[in-house]
């Protein structure tokens, strides 16, 4: 039973969009409960009538917070930033804020949807790896170019931002599809700085309640 008033995140352990939100909640130290939604069990629980009432796009994440249910990960991230600004994940400088949004959009609009589960199912088993590698590589070329101008220790300067929340899950996906990451040294450097951060570690798919035991071996 969730504590009254405690946010509930509808999440799937390996969903990069859910992962972004988990990272931000952790960074802002917002306690939350997870309601696992399996994207594969029984044809996908996201397609159930019950979940369709929560998110008509039949995707995760969704976040119930402040007596409202929000969908779309970037929308959720910005809501958290606007309503919980005391641990900021956006720079004060307007140009740097724009750089953060650029990186988020390239990943969330230009890479992730093209290697999403529903797309890969449509593409078919024989082509899905080649398809995912092509679009992830194409998008990461753009991200690497952006980071070459904006990165310090992290994606934009030396403070963690929403861009970092989006980057780390996408690198996990790149490795999952065996994308060659050697051409992206700036991306790899930022990822190394973040991989052992407690908020990112706690949000990792292997540390989720619905992660299957065989996935951690």
């Amino acid at each position: 039973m969730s504590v009254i008033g405690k946010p509930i995140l509808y999440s799937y352990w390996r969903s990069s969009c859910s992962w972004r939100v988990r990272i931000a909640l952790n960074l802002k130290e917002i306690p939350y409960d997870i309601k696992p939604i399996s994207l594969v069990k029984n044809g996908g629980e996201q397609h159930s009538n019950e979940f369709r009432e929560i998110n008509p796009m039949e995707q995760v994440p969704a976040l119930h917070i402040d007596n409202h249910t929000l969908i779309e990960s970037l929308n959720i991230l910005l809501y958290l930033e606007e309503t919980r600004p005391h641990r900021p994940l956006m720079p004060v400088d307007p140009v740097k804020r724009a750089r953060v949004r650029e990186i988020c959009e390239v990943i969330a609009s230009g890479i992730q949807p093209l290697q999403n589960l529903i797309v890969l199912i449509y593409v078919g088993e024989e082509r899905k790896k080649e398809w995912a590698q092509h679009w992830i590589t194409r998008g990461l070329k753009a991200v690497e170019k952006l980071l070459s101008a904006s990165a310090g220790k992290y994606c934009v300067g030396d403070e963690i931002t929403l861009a970092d929340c989006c980057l780390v899950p996408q690198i996990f996906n790149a490795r999952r599809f065996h994308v060659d990451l050697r051409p992206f040294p700036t991306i790899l450097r930022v990822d190394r700085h973040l991989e052992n951060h407690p908020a990112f570690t706690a949000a990792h798919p292997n540390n989720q309640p619905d992660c299957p035991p065989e996935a951690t071996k």
Side-chain angles (χ1 to χ4, degrees):
M1 181 70 68
S2 175
V3 176
I4 294 176
K6 196 174 182 181
I8 300 172
L9 178 65
Y10 296 84
S11 173
Y12 178 63
W13 68 283
R14 203 166 60 183
S15 158
S16 58
C17 297
S18 300
W19 190 352
R20 298 169 193 161
V21 177
R22 295 195 300 261
I23 293 169
L25 288 165
N26 293 342
L27 287 168
K28 288 182 173 290
E29 299 184 354
I30 302 170
Y32 63 98
D33 289 330
I34 283 182
K35 169 66 175 174
I37 301 296
S38 174
L39 303 187
V40 296
K41 183 180 178 181
N42 299 323
E45 293 176 342
Q46 73 275 25
H47 302 307
S48 68
N49 291 334
E50 178 184 2
F51 189 71
R52 194 179 297 117
E53 290 299 313
I54 295 168
N55 186 350
M57 277 297 286
E58 303 175 30
Q59 296 174 335
V60 291
L63 180 67
H64 186 77
I65 189 170
D66 301 335
N67 208 32
H68 302 286
T69 299
L70 307 175
I71 66 171
E72 298 297 331
S73 61
L74 291 191
N75 176 53
I76 294 170
L77 294 180
L78 291 172
Y79 179 85
L80 294 176
E81 185 65 11
E82 290 168 356
T83 59
R84 276 83 174 168
H86 60 289
R87 297 185 182 275
L89 295 176
M90 287 290 280
V92 174
D93 179 78
V95 174
K96 289 184 177 181
R97 292 171 73 89
R99 297 304 181 203
V100 170
R101 290 193 296 268
E102 282 179 345
I103 296 162
C104 290
E105 287 289 354
V106 168
I107 294 170
S109 300
I111 307 177
Q112 190 278 329
L114 291 163
Q115 44 100 100
N116 201 8
L117 177 63
I118 194 169
V119 173
L120 295 179
I121 290 172
Y122 185 82
V123 168
E125 189 67 29
E126 290 186 0
R127 290 194 59 210
K128 72 176 187 180
K129 182 178 178 180
E130 173 194 0
W131 173 279
Q133 288 178 337
H134 172 80
W135 293 110
I136 293 172
T137 300
R138 179 182 182 273
L140 291 184
K141 287 179 181 177
V143 174
E144 178 71 16
K145 180 69 173 178
L146 293 173
L147 293 192
S148 69
S150 70
K153 187 176 180 180
Y154 304 117
C155 283
V156 179
D158 295 325
E159 300 295 331
I160 294 174
T161 67
L162 296 181
D164 301 293
C165 298
C166 292
L167 179 70
V168 168
Q170 186 56 61
I171 300 310
F172 177 90
N173 281 341
R175 292 189 173 112
R176 179 182 163 213
F177 289 108
H178 306 290
V179 171
D180 182 5
L181 294 175
R182 289 174 296 180
F184 311 120
T186 313
I187 288 174
L188 289 175
R189 176 172 57 80
V190 171
D191 185 60
R192 284 194 299 271
H193 284 140
L194 292 165
E195 63 182 352
N196 293 318
H197 189 290
F200 287 77
T201 301
H204 193 282
N206 290 356
N207 296 321
Q208 301 315 300
D210 54 330
C211 175
E214 62 270 17
T216 62
K217 294 179 181 178

